[in-house]
Amino acid sequence: MKILFFDTKSYDKESFDKQVVNYPDIEIEYLKTDLTPKTAPLAKGYDAVCAFVSSDVGTKTVEALHEAGVKLILMRCAGFNNVDLDKAKEYDIKVMRVPGYSPEAVAEHAMTLALAVNRRIHKAYVKVRENDFSLGGLMGINFYQKTAGIVGTGKIGAAMARICRGFGMKVIAYDVYENPSLKDFVTYVTLDELLAQSDLISLHCPLMDSTYHLINKDTIAKMKDGVILVNTSRGGLVKTNDLIDGIRARKFFGVGLDVYEEETKNVFEDRSDEILEHSTTARLLSFPNVMITSHQGFFTQEALEAISKTTLDNAVAFEKGETTGNEVAAQ
Ligand code: NAD
């Protein structure tokens, strides 16, 4: 099987090259460019393409991939909200993903953001570098005995719930399904109850029509004053302009974002020489209690190893006509 790999970074090539030696029937060609309707025709002659969270796998791209003869889209990530599944189904192109490569990688990053904004680590680091050893602006709160509210208790949300329990927090959660592995220490509540009771809210549900802008001016109004909000799931869960209004109204003690609505152009790019216009990200960064990272929740050695192995296993299963549970399809 020949796979054309889009949006290759050095660490992608390193981890896939390390694994692919164990898959003698798979050949990978790496491209730096991302998958878009314009670049999709490059896949002519390949059986599969491999894409990532910021790739444009929308209608036009899927059409172009179909014309190029591609039969398989390998998403090397868990989310697939950027894929037009209806079009893929129409053209009989299979879409496979890596549903759970390392939930702890993302959950640990969510707690990293929560702690960093709480104790203002981003400010403290800069202050001490400038020989400013004063503590002004750095006061945090204890997480111990506070309430953590987890929205979405799948693999990552469950890992975050366990981490919060380790901090001595009371853990409450909202999900459309209860996760039985958490029943000993998590209390399921309604979303409104979670918003009203939580000192730390961490988002771990997928982006779907029903969760788009889940955090908006109405839900923000229901939160406790002085809440810490962390989003490591998908940017579209939070309506950025409403979040900015909430920050200005002093609703939040801190906000930690690994994902945000405007991220697509930024993700994994060095744009330090550019003048960014109309950037709500820049506005968010102007607040002292906000910290943004660039979709790095997944980025650990263990996760990259698991991503490359599962992606190649998916390709093998597709060749053999086997089902793995990693397929995603329009209903
Ligand atoms: P998962 O499928 O295991 O869990 C998702 C949970 O959300 C499920 O329990 C589901 O029932 C719940 N859910 C669905 N609709 C809901 C709703 N309306 N309200 C509340 N809960 C709802 O997924 P996961 O592996 O835990 O990943 C969660 C999300 O994390 C992914 O969708 C992805 O967007 C994101 N993610 C981010 C990174 C990163 O690097 N920052 C990496 C991987 C995944």
Side-chain angles (χ1 to χ4, degrees), residues 78-79 81 97 99-101 106 151-157 174-177 204-208 210-211 232-234 258-259 295-298:
N81 53 288
R97 65 173 182 139
Y101 38 87
V106 185
V151 180
T153 50
K155 290 173 286 298
I156 298 171
Y174 167 71
D175 198 315
V176 285
Y177 301 106
H204 299 287
C205 59
L207 178 62
M208 303 177 293
S210 61
T211 58
T232 56
S233 194
R234 283 292 180 266
D258 189 44
V259 291
H295 212 128
Q296 70 175 79
F298 75 100

PDB file of all heavy atoms in Angstrom, residues 78-79 81 97 99-101 106 151-157 174-177 204-208 210-211 232-234 258-259 295-298, ligand 1:
ATOM      1  N   ALA A  78      -7.487  11.792  16.841  1.00  0.00           N
ATOM      2  CA  ALA A  78      -8.756  11.241  17.324  1.00  0.00           C
ATOM      3  C   ALA A  78      -9.945  11.941  16.672  1.00  0.00           C
ATOM      4  O   ALA A  78     -10.895  11.308  16.209  1.00  0.00           O
ATOM      5  CB  ALA A  78      -8.836  11.397  18.843  1.00  0.00           C
ATOM      6  N   GLY A  79      -9.879  13.288  16.595  1.00  0.00           N
ATOM      7  CA  GLY A  79     -11.004  14.061  16.057  1.00  0.00           C
ATOM      8  C   GLY A  79     -11.132  13.885  14.553  1.00  0.00           C
ATOM      9  O   GLY A  79     -10.146  13.602  13.863  1.00  0.00           O
ATOM     10  N   ASN A  81     -13.780  16.022  12.916  1.00  0.00           N
ATOM     11  CA  ASN A  81     -14.775  17.045  12.566  1.00  0.00           C
ATOM     12  C   ASN A  81     -14.404  17.808  11.292  1.00  0.00           C
ATOM     13  O   ASN A  81     -15.228  18.511  10.730  1.00  0.00           O
ATOM     14  CB  ASN A  81     -14.974  18.015  13.744  1.00  0.00           C
ATOM     15  CG  ASN A  81     -13.663  18.594  14.231  1.00  0.00           C
ATOM     16  OD1 ASN A  81     -12.864  17.897  14.852  1.00  0.00           O
ATOM     17  ND2 ASN A  81     -13.404  19.839  13.938  1.00  0.00           N
ATOM     18  N   ARG A  97      -9.345   6.496  12.013  1.00  0.00           N
ATOM     19  CA  ARG A  97      -8.690   7.448  12.922  1.00  0.00           C
ATOM     20  C   ARG A  97      -7.980   6.697  14.040  1.00  0.00           C
ATOM     21  O   ARG A  97      -8.003   5.454  14.084  1.00  0.00           O
ATOM     22  CB  ARG A  97      -9.732   8.401  13.508  1.00  0.00           C
ATOM     23  CG  ARG A  97     -10.727   7.670  14.391  1.00  0.00           C
ATOM     24  CD  ARG A  97     -11.656   8.607  15.108  1.00  0.00           C
ATOM     25  NE  ARG A  97     -12.564   7.869  15.973  1.00  0.00           N
ATOM     26  CZ  ARG A  97     -12.908   8.256  17.174  1.00  0.00           C
ATOM     27  NH1 ARG A  97     -12.449   9.361  17.684  1.00  0.00           N
ATOM     28  NH2 ARG A  97     -13.738   7.530  17.888  1.00  0.00           N
ATOM     29  N   PRO A  99      -8.456   6.530  17.769  1.00  0.00           N
ATOM     30  CA  PRO A  99      -9.377   7.053  18.780  1.00  0.00           C
ATOM     31  C   PRO A  99      -8.737   7.335  20.147  1.00  0.00           C
ATOM     32  O   PRO A  99      -9.074   8.317  20.775  1.00  0.00           O
ATOM     33  CB  PRO A  99     -10.453   5.983  18.898  1.00  0.00           C
ATOM     34  CG  PRO A  99      -9.996   4.804  18.126  1.00  0.00           C
ATOM     35  CD  PRO A  99      -8.786   5.167  17.345  1.00  0.00           C
ATOM     36  N   GLY A 100      -7.818   6.505  20.571  1.00  0.00           N
ATOM     37  CA  GLY A 100      -7.306   6.733  21.932  1.00  0.00           C
ATOM     38  C   GLY A 100      -5.839   6.401  22.031  1.00  0.00           C
ATOM     39  O   GLY A 100      -5.472   5.347  22.522  1.00  0.00           O
ATOM     40  N   TYR A 101      -4.980   7.334  21.574  1.00  0.00           N
ATOM     41  CA  TYR A 101      -3.560   6.981  21.547  1.00  0.00           C
ATOM     42  C   TYR A 101      -2.899   7.147  22.897  1.00  0.00           C
ATOM     43  O   TYR A 101      -2.065   6.357  23.278  1.00  0.00           O
ATOM     44  CB  TYR A 101      -2.809   7.776  20.485  1.00  0.00           C
ATOM     45  CG  TYR A 101      -3.264   9.194  20.340  1.00  0.00           C
ATOM     46  CD1 TYR A 101      -2.725  10.192  21.126  1.00  0.00           C
ATOM     47  CD2 TYR A 101      -4.231   9.520  19.412  1.00  0.00           C
ATOM     48  CE1 TYR A 101      -3.133  11.490  20.979  1.00  0.00           C
ATOM     49  CE2 TYR A 101      -4.661  10.821  19.268  1.00  0.00           C
ATOM     50  CZ  TYR A 101      -4.118  11.804  20.060  1.00  0.00           C
ATOM     51  OH  TYR A 101      -4.529  13.091  19.939  1.00  0.00           O
ATOM     52  N   VAL A 106      -3.105  14.091  26.889  1.00  0.00           N
ATOM     53  CA  VAL A 106      -3.967  15.274  26.792  1.00  0.00           C
ATOM     54  C   VAL A 106      -4.439  15.712  28.182  1.00  0.00           C
ATOM     55  O   VAL A 106      -4.441  16.902  28.510  1.00  0.00           O
ATOM     56  CB  VAL A 106      -5.170  15.007  25.861  1.00  0.00           C
ATOM     57  CG1 VAL A 106      -5.990  16.286  25.672  1.00  0.00           C
ATOM     58  CG2 VAL A 106      -4.716  14.467  24.516  1.00  0.00           C
ATOM     59  N   VAL A 151     -16.437  17.992  31.622  1.00  0.00           N
ATOM     60  CA  VAL A 151     -17.489  17.904  30.597  1.00  0.00           C
ATOM     61  C   VAL A 151     -17.027  16.899  29.546  1.00  0.00           C
ATOM     62  O   VAL A 151     -16.107  17.158  28.781  1.00  0.00           O
ATOM     63  CB  VAL A 151     -17.757  19.285  29.948  1.00  0.00           C
ATOM     64  CG1 VAL A 151     -18.855  19.166  28.896  1.00  0.00           C
ATOM     65  CG2 VAL A 151     -18.131  20.310  31.012  1.00  0.00           C
ATOM     66  N   GLY A 152     -17.667  15.722  29.549  1.00  0.00           N
ATOM     67  CA  GLY A 152     -17.239  14.647  28.639  1.00  0.00           C
ATOM     68  C   GLY A 152     -16.284  13.724  29.358  1.00  0.00           C
ATOM     69  O   GLY A 152     -15.134  14.092  29.623  1.00  0.00           O
ATOM     70  N   THR A 153     -16.786  12.539  29.720  1.00  0.00           N
ATOM     71  CA  THR A 153     -15.942  11.615  30.503  1.00  0.00           C
ATOM     72  C   THR A 153     -15.607  10.360  29.690  1.00  0.00           C
ATOM     73  O   THR A 153     -15.789   9.232  30.140  1.00  0.00           O
ATOM     74  CB  THR A 153     -16.628  11.222  31.826  1.00  0.00           C
ATOM     75  OG1 THR A 153     -17.965  10.786  31.512  1.00  0.00           O
ATOM     76  CG2 THR A 153     -16.659  12.358  32.805  1.00  0.00           C
ATOM     77  N   GLY A 154     -15.159  10.590  28.447  1.00  0.00           N
ATOM     78  CA  GLY A 154     -14.619   9.480  27.656  1.00  0.00           C
ATOM     79  C   GLY A 154     -13.211   9.191  28.135  1.00  0.00           C
ATOM     80  O   GLY A 154     -12.906   9.343  29.325  1.00  0.00           O
ATOM     81  N   LYS A 155     -12.340   8.839  27.196  1.00  0.00           N
ATOM     82  CA  LYS A 155     -10.991   8.412  27.590  1.00  0.00           C
ATOM     83  C   LYS A 155     -10.205   9.562  28.251  1.00  0.00           C
ATOM     84  O   LYS A 155      -9.615   9.391  29.313  1.00  0.00           O
ATOM     85  CB  LYS A 155     -10.244   7.889  26.355  1.00  0.00           C
ATOM     86  CG  LYS A 155     -10.809   6.550  25.861  1.00  0.00           C
ATOM     87  CD  LYS A 155     -10.202   6.101  24.573  1.00  0.00           C
ATOM     88  CE  LYS A 155     -10.662   6.867  23.378  1.00  0.00           C
ATOM     89  NZ  LYS A 155     -12.090   6.789  23.065  1.00  0.00           N
ATOM     90  N   ILE A 156     -10.217  10.741  27.600  1.00  0.00           N
ATOM     91  CA  ILE A 156      -9.405  11.847  28.133  1.00  0.00           C
ATOM     92  C   ILE A 156     -10.058  12.447  29.381  1.00  0.00           C
ATOM     93  O   ILE A 156      -9.378  12.701  30.387  1.00  0.00           O
ATOM     94  CB  ILE A 156      -9.185  12.928  27.044  1.00  0.00           C
ATOM     95  CG1 ILE A 156      -8.409  12.330  25.856  1.00  0.00           C
ATOM     96  CG2 ILE A 156      -8.437  14.129  27.617  1.00  0.00           C
ATOM     97  CD1 ILE A 156      -8.319  13.224  24.636  1.00  0.00           C
ATOM     98  N   GLY A 157     -11.384  12.640  29.331  1.00  0.00           N
ATOM     99  CA  GLY A 157     -12.085  13.193  30.490  1.00  0.00           C
ATOM    100  C   GLY A 157     -11.911  12.296  31.713  1.00  0.00           C
ATOM    101  O   GLY A 157     -11.737  12.790  32.845  1.00  0.00           O
ATOM    102  N   TYR A 174     -20.347  15.944  33.654  1.00  0.00           N
ATOM    103  CA  TYR A 174     -21.532  15.935  32.802  1.00  0.00           C
ATOM    104  C   TYR A 174     -21.179  15.202  31.516  1.00  0.00           C
ATOM    105  O   TYR A 174     -20.125  15.449  30.910  1.00  0.00           O
ATOM    106  CB  TYR A 174     -21.978  17.366  32.466  1.00  0.00           C
ATOM    107  CG  TYR A 174     -22.995  17.380  31.358  1.00  0.00           C
ATOM    108  CD1 TYR A 174     -24.288  16.914  31.580  1.00  0.00           C
ATOM    109  CD2 TYR A 174     -22.650  17.800  30.073  1.00  0.00           C
ATOM    110  CE1 TYR A 174     -25.210  16.871  30.550  1.00  0.00           C
ATOM    111  CE2 TYR A 174     -23.575  17.772  29.046  1.00  0.00           C
ATOM    112  CZ  TYR A 174     -24.852  17.302  29.287  1.00  0.00           C
ATOM    113  OH  TYR A 174     -25.758  17.257  28.260  1.00  0.00           O
ATOM    114  N   ASP A 175     -22.020  14.265  31.140  1.00  0.00           N
ATOM    115  CA  ASP A 175     -21.834  13.535  29.875  1.00  0.00           C
ATOM    116  C   ASP A 175     -23.199  13.005  29.473  1.00  0.00           C
ATOM    117  O   ASP A 175     -24.094  12.856  30.322  1.00  0.00           O
ATOM    118  CB  ASP A 175     -20.835  12.371  30.071  1.00  0.00           C
ATOM    119  CG  ASP A 175     -20.271  11.856  28.743  1.00  0.00           C
ATOM    120  OD1 ASP A 175     -21.050  11.667  27.785  1.00  0.00           O
ATOM    121  OD2 ASP A 175     -19.056  11.621  28.673  1.00  0.00           O
ATOM    122  N   VAL A 176     -23.348  12.707  28.185  1.00  0.00           N
ATOM    123  CA  VAL A 176     -24.610  12.100  27.759  1.00  0.00           C
ATOM    124  C   VAL A 176     -24.648  10.609  28.151  1.00  0.00           C
ATOM    125  O   VAL A 176     -25.718  10.011  28.215  1.00  0.00           O
ATOM    126  CB  VAL A 176     -24.855  12.299  26.242  1.00  0.00           C
ATOM    127  CG1 VAL A 176     -25.288  13.732  25.962  1.00  0.00           C
ATOM    128  CG2 VAL A 176     -23.614  11.977  25.412  1.00  0.00           C
ATOM    129  N   TYR A 177     -23.469  10.026  28.371  1.00  0.00           N
ATOM    130  CA  TYR A 177     -23.374   8.659  28.902  1.00  0.00           C
ATOM    131  C   TYR A 177     -22.485   8.681  30.133  1.00  0.00           C
ATOM    132  O   TYR A 177     -21.481   9.384  30.137  1.00  0.00           O
ATOM    133  CB  TYR A 177     -22.724   7.700  27.890  1.00  0.00           C
ATOM    134  CG  TYR A 177     -23.457   7.597  26.586  1.00  0.00           C
ATOM    135  CD1 TYR A 177     -22.943   8.201  25.438  1.00  0.00           C
ATOM    136  CD2 TYR A 177     -24.659   6.898  26.486  1.00  0.00           C
ATOM    137  CE1 TYR A 177     -23.622   8.121  24.235  1.00  0.00           C
ATOM    138  CE2 TYR A 177     -25.340   6.810  25.284  1.00  0.00           C
ATOM    139  CZ  TYR A 177     -24.816   7.437  24.163  1.00  0.00           C
ATOM    140  OH  TYR A 177     -25.481   7.362  22.965  1.00  0.00           O
ATOM    141  N   HIS A 204     -13.875  18.098  27.642  1.00  0.00           N
ATOM    142  CA  HIS A 204     -13.334  16.889  27.011  1.00  0.00           C
ATOM    143  C   HIS A 204     -14.365  16.189  26.136  1.00  0.00           C
ATOM    144  O   HIS A 204     -14.261  14.988  25.890  1.00  0.00           O
ATOM    145  CB  HIS A 204     -12.806  15.929  28.078  1.00  0.00           C
ATOM    146  CG  HIS A 204     -11.714  16.535  28.885  1.00  0.00           C
ATOM    147  ND1 HIS A 204     -10.446  16.738  28.381  1.00  0.00           N
ATOM    148  CD2 HIS A 204     -11.705  17.047  30.142  1.00  0.00           C
ATOM    149  CE1 HIS A 204      -9.701  17.330  29.300  1.00  0.00           C
ATOM    150  NE2 HIS A 204     -10.440  17.533  30.381  1.00  0.00           N
ATOM    151  N   CYS A 205     -15.405  16.916  25.687  1.00  0.00           N
ATOM    152  CA  CYS A 205     -16.379  16.295  24.784  1.00  0.00           C
ATOM    153  C   CYS A 205     -16.005  16.640  23.348  1.00  0.00           C
ATOM    154  O   CYS A 205     -15.300  17.610  23.100  1.00  0.00           O
ATOM    155  CB  CYS A 205     -17.796  16.748  25.116  1.00  0.00           C
ATOM    156  SG  CYS A 205     -18.020  18.522  25.005  1.00  0.00           S
ATOM    157  N   PRO A 206     -16.457  15.854  22.385  1.00  0.00           N
ATOM    158  CA  PRO A 206     -16.093  16.143  20.993  1.00  0.00           C
ATOM    159  C   PRO A 206     -16.867  17.341  20.455  1.00  0.00           C
ATOM    160  O   PRO A 206     -17.889  17.741  21.028  1.00  0.00           O
ATOM    161  CB  PRO A 206     -16.489  14.866  20.250  1.00  0.00           C
ATOM    162  CG  PRO A 206     -17.450  14.163  21.116  1.00  0.00           C
ATOM    163  CD  PRO A 206     -17.270  14.645  22.511  1.00  0.00           C
ATOM    164  N   LEU A 207     -16.370  17.908  19.359  1.00  0.00           N
ATOM    165  CA  LEU A 207     -17.090  19.004  18.696  1.00  0.00           C
ATOM    166  C   LEU A 207     -18.107  18.400  17.737  1.00  0.00           C
ATOM    167  O   LEU A 207     -17.749  17.674  16.808  1.00  0.00           O
ATOM    168  CB  LEU A 207     -16.096  19.887  17.927  1.00  0.00           C
ATOM    169  CG  LEU A 207     -16.714  21.041  17.140  1.00  0.00           C
ATOM    170  CD1 LEU A 207     -17.441  22.017  18.066  1.00  0.00           C
ATOM    171  CD2 LEU A 207     -15.653  21.783  16.333  1.00  0.00           C
ATOM    172  N   MET A 208     -19.371  18.677  18.009  1.00  0.00           N
ATOM    173  CA  MET A 208     -20.460  18.204  17.147  1.00  0.00           C
ATOM    174  C   MET A 208     -21.467  19.350  17.074  1.00  0.00           C
ATOM    175  O   MET A 208     -21.325  20.339  17.793  1.00  0.00           O
ATOM    176  CB  MET A 208     -21.158  16.993  17.779  1.00  0.00           C
ATOM    177  CG  MET A 208     -20.231  15.839  18.082  1.00  0.00           C
ATOM    178  SD  MET A 208     -21.087  14.485  18.902  1.00  0.00           S
ATOM    179  CE  MET A 208     -21.511  15.192  20.458  1.00  0.00           C
ATOM    180  N   SER A 210     -24.242  19.476  18.408  1.00  0.00           N
ATOM    181  CA  SER A 210     -24.848  19.656  19.734  1.00  0.00           C
ATOM    182  C   SER A 210     -23.891  20.282  20.751  1.00  0.00           C
ATOM    183  O   SER A 210     -24.322  20.743  21.806  1.00  0.00           O
ATOM    184  CB  SER A 210     -25.348  18.314  20.266  1.00  0.00           C
ATOM    185  OG  SER A 210     -24.261  17.431  20.383  1.00  0.00           O
ATOM    186  N   THR A 211     -22.585  20.292  20.470  1.00  0.00           N
ATOM    187  CA  THR A 211     -21.640  20.861  21.438  1.00  0.00           C
ATOM    188  C   THR A 211     -20.991  22.148  20.933  1.00  0.00           C
ATOM    189  O   THR A 211     -20.215  22.777  21.652  1.00  0.00           O
ATOM    190  CB  THR A 211     -20.517  19.851  21.787  1.00  0.00           C
ATOM    191  OG1 THR A 211     -19.847  19.473  20.581  1.00  0.00           O
ATOM    192  CG2 THR A 211     -21.064  18.628  22.479  1.00  0.00           C
ATOM    193  N   THR A 232      -9.014  21.652  26.138  1.00  0.00           N
ATOM    194  CA  THR A 232      -8.010  20.922  25.353  1.00  0.00           C
ATOM    195  C   THR A 232      -8.714  20.061  24.307  1.00  0.00           C
ATOM    196  O   THR A 232      -8.106  19.172  23.728  1.00  0.00           O
ATOM    197  CB  THR A 232      -7.137  19.994  26.243  1.00  0.00           C
ATOM    198  OG1 THR A 232      -8.018  19.114  26.957  1.00  0.00           O
ATOM    199  CG2 THR A 232      -6.268  20.757  27.205  1.00  0.00           C
ATOM    200  N   SER A 233     -10.006  20.326  24.082  1.00  0.00           N
ATOM    201  CA  SER A 233     -10.756  19.437  23.201  1.00  0.00           C
ATOM    202  C   SER A 233     -10.821  19.972  21.767  1.00  0.00           C
ATOM    203  O   SER A 233     -10.058  19.518  20.913  1.00  0.00           O
ATOM    204  CB  SER A 233     -12.154  19.187  23.774  1.00  0.00           C
ATOM    205  OG  SER A 233     -12.737  18.099  23.107  1.00  0.00           O
ATOM    206  N   ARG A 234     -11.699  20.916  21.507  1.00  0.00           N
ATOM    207  CA  ARG A 234     -11.773  21.549  20.188  1.00  0.00           C
ATOM    208  C   ARG A 234     -12.194  22.996  20.369  1.00  0.00           C
ATOM    209  O   ARG A 234     -13.071  23.301  21.199  1.00  0.00           O
ATOM    210  CB  ARG A 234     -12.795  20.840  19.278  1.00  0.00           C
ATOM    211  CG  ARG A 234     -12.326  19.533  18.672  1.00  0.00           C
ATOM    212  CD  ARG A 234     -11.196  19.730  17.652  1.00  0.00           C
ATOM    213  NE  ARG A 234     -10.743  18.480  17.080  1.00  0.00           N
ATOM    214  CZ  ARG A 234      -9.712  17.759  17.521  1.00  0.00           C
ATOM    215  NH1 ARG A 234      -9.024  18.169  18.574  1.00  0.00           N
ATOM    216  NH2 ARG A 234      -9.362  16.641  16.911  1.00  0.00           N
ATOM    217  N   ASP A 258      -5.729  25.013  24.891  1.00  0.00           N
ATOM    218  CA  ASP A 258      -4.814  24.342  23.961  1.00  0.00           C
ATOM    219  C   ASP A 258      -5.409  24.378  22.560  1.00  0.00           C
ATOM    220  O   ASP A 258      -4.733  24.088  21.581  1.00  0.00           O
ATOM    221  CB  ASP A 258      -4.599  22.886  24.405  1.00  0.00           C
ATOM    222  CG  ASP A 258      -3.487  22.204  23.614  1.00  0.00           C
ATOM    223  OD1 ASP A 258      -2.426  22.850  23.420  1.00  0.00           O
ATOM    224  OD2 ASP A 258      -3.674  21.050  23.173  1.00  0.00           O
ATOM    225  N   VAL A 259      -6.704  24.700  22.495  1.00  0.00           N
ATOM    226  CA  VAL A 259      -7.427  24.764  21.223  1.00  0.00           C
ATOM    227  C   VAL A 259      -8.308  26.003  21.276  1.00  0.00           C
ATOM    228  O   VAL A 259      -8.766  26.393  22.350  1.00  0.00           O
ATOM    229  CB  VAL A 259      -8.291  23.499  21.020  1.00  0.00           C
ATOM    230  CG1 VAL A 259      -7.453  22.262  20.797  1.00  0.00           C
ATOM    231  CG2 VAL A 259      -9.217  23.273  22.206  1.00  0.00           C
ATOM    232  N   HIS A 295      -2.238  23.486  20.422  1.00  0.00           N
ATOM    233  CA  HIS A 295      -2.689  22.106  20.163  1.00  0.00           C
ATOM    234  C   HIS A 295      -1.566  21.090  20.422  1.00  0.00           C
ATOM    235  O   HIS A 295      -1.240  20.263  19.565  1.00  0.00           O
ATOM    236  CB  HIS A 295      -3.204  21.998  18.717  1.00  0.00           C
ATOM    237  CG  HIS A 295      -4.307  21.001  18.595  1.00  0.00           C
ATOM    238  ND1 HIS A 295      -5.520  21.274  18.012  1.00  0.00           N
ATOM    239  CD2 HIS A 295      -4.390  19.717  18.997  1.00  0.00           C
ATOM    240  CE1 HIS A 295      -6.293  20.210  18.053  1.00  0.00           C
ATOM    241  NE2 HIS A 295      -5.622  19.255  18.655  1.00  0.00           N
ATOM    242  N   GLN A 296      -0.991  21.188  21.616  1.00  0.00           N
ATOM    243  CA  GLN A 296       0.126  20.296  21.926  1.00  0.00           C
ATOM    244  C   GLN A 296      -0.251  19.223  22.938  1.00  0.00           C
ATOM    245  O   GLN A 296       0.606  18.477  23.401  1.00  0.00           O
ATOM    246  CB  GLN A 296       1.332  21.102  22.428  1.00  0.00           C
ATOM    247  CG  GLN A 296       1.152  21.714  23.818  1.00  0.00           C
ATOM    248  CD  GLN A 296       2.410  22.402  24.313  1.00  0.00           C
ATOM    249  OE1 GLN A 296       2.713  23.518  23.915  1.00  0.00           O
ATOM    250  NE2 GLN A 296       3.153  21.756  25.198  1.00  0.00           N
ATOM    251  N   GLY A 297      -1.559  19.146  23.269  1.00  0.00           N
ATOM    252  CA  GLY A 297      -1.983  18.171  24.273  1.00  0.00           C
ATOM    253  C   GLY A 297      -1.523  16.752  23.959  1.00  0.00           C
ATOM    254  O   GLY A 297      -1.119  16.004  24.850  1.00  0.00           O
ATOM    255  N   PHE A 298      -1.571  16.405  22.698  1.00  0.00           N
ATOM    256  CA  PHE A 298      -1.241  15.022  22.288  1.00  0.00           C
ATOM    257  C   PHE A 298       0.261  14.781  22.244  1.00  0.00           C
ATOM    258  O   PHE A 298       0.690  13.641  22.073  1.00  0.00           O
ATOM    259  CB  PHE A 298      -1.793  14.769  20.871  1.00  0.00           C
ATOM    260  CG  PHE A 298      -0.974  15.446  19.810  1.00  0.00           C
ATOM    261  CD1 PHE A 298      -0.041  14.730  19.063  1.00  0.00           C
ATOM    262  CD2 PHE A 298      -1.083  16.811  19.602  1.00  0.00           C
ATOM    263  CE1 PHE A 298       0.746  15.361  18.110  1.00  0.00           C
ATOM    264  CE2 PHE A 298      -0.303  17.446  18.648  1.00  0.00           C
ATOM    265  CZ  PHE A 298       0.610  16.720  17.900  1.00  0.00           C
TER     266      PHE A 298
HETATM  267  P1  NAD B   1     -14.078   9.970  23.739  1.00  0.00           P
HETATM  268  O1  NAD B   1     -14.904   9.675  22.529  1.00  0.00           O
HETATM  269  O2  NAD B   1     -13.412   8.849  24.463  1.00  0.00           O
HETATM  270  O3  NAD B   1     -14.956  10.787  24.803  1.00  0.00           O
HETATM  271  C1  NAD B   1     -15.811  11.815  24.450  1.00  0.00           C
HETATM  272  C2  NAD B   1     -16.895  11.869  25.521  1.00  0.00           C
HETATM  273  O4  NAD B   1     -17.725  13.005  25.260  1.00  0.00           O
HETATM  274  C3  NAD B   1     -17.813  10.630  25.511  1.00  0.00           C
HETATM  275  O5  NAD B   1     -17.918  10.095  26.811  1.00  0.00           O
HETATM  276  C4  NAD B   1     -19.134  11.189  25.006  1.00  0.00           C
HETATM  277  O6  NAD B   1     -20.269  10.497  25.545  1.00  0.00           O
HETATM  278  C5  NAD B   1     -19.058  12.604  25.528  1.00  0.00           C
HETATM  279  N1  NAD B   1     -20.027  13.500  24.894  1.00  0.00           N
HETATM  280  C6  NAD B   1     -20.586  13.406  23.665  1.00  0.00           C
HETATM  281  N2  NAD B   1     -21.474  14.398  23.499  1.00  0.00           N
HETATM  282  C7  NAD B   1     -21.480  15.114  24.643  1.00  0.00           C
HETATM  283  C8  NAD B   1     -22.198  16.250  25.072  1.00  0.00           C
HETATM  284  N3  NAD B   1     -23.098  16.858  24.283  1.00  0.00           N
HETATM  285  N4  NAD B   1     -21.960  16.726  26.309  1.00  0.00           N
HETATM  286  C9  NAD B   1     -21.058  16.119  27.121  1.00  0.00           C
HETATM  287  N5  NAD B   1     -20.364  15.033  26.765  1.00  0.00           N
HETATM  288  C10 NAD B   1     -20.565  14.542  25.543  1.00  0.00           C
HETATM  289  O7  NAD B   1     -13.018  11.050  23.247  1.00  0.00           O
HETATM  290  P2  NAD B   1     -11.597  11.373  23.896  1.00  0.00           P
HETATM  291  O8  NAD B   1     -10.557  10.466  23.343  1.00  0.00           O
HETATM  292  O9  NAD B   1     -11.749  11.487  25.367  1.00  0.00           O
HETATM  293  O10 NAD B   1     -11.324  12.819  23.265  1.00  0.00           O
HETATM  294  C11 NAD B   1     -12.128  13.937  23.606  1.00  0.00           C
HETATM  295  C12 NAD B   1     -11.798  15.076  22.653  1.00  0.00           C
HETATM  296  O11 NAD B   1     -10.466  15.539  22.905  1.00  0.00           O
HETATM  297  C13 NAD B   1     -11.771  14.671  21.165  1.00  0.00           C
HETATM  298  O12 NAD B   1     -13.054  14.800  20.593  1.00  0.00           O
HETATM  299  C14 NAD B   1     -10.816  15.647  20.560  1.00  0.00           C
HETATM  300  O13 NAD B   1     -11.548  16.724  20.010  1.00  0.00           O
HETATM  301  C15 NAD B   1      -9.979  16.152  21.736  1.00  0.00           C
HETATM  302  N6  NAD B   1      -8.540  15.854  21.607  1.00  0.00           N
HETATM  303  C16 NAD B   1      -7.647  16.885  21.742  1.00  0.00           C
HETATM  304  C17 NAD B   1      -6.283  16.633  21.662  1.00  0.00           C
HETATM  305  C18 NAD B   1      -5.242  17.714  21.832  1.00  0.00           C
HETATM  306  O14 NAD B   1      -4.083  17.526  21.412  1.00  0.00           O
HETATM  307  N7  NAD B   1      -5.564  18.840  22.445  1.00  0.00           N
HETATM  308  C19 NAD B   1      -5.848  15.328  21.416  1.00  0.00           C
HETATM  309  C20 NAD B   1      -6.791  14.311  21.300  1.00  0.00           C
HETATM  310  C21 NAD B   1      -8.135  14.578  21.388  1.00  0.00           C
END
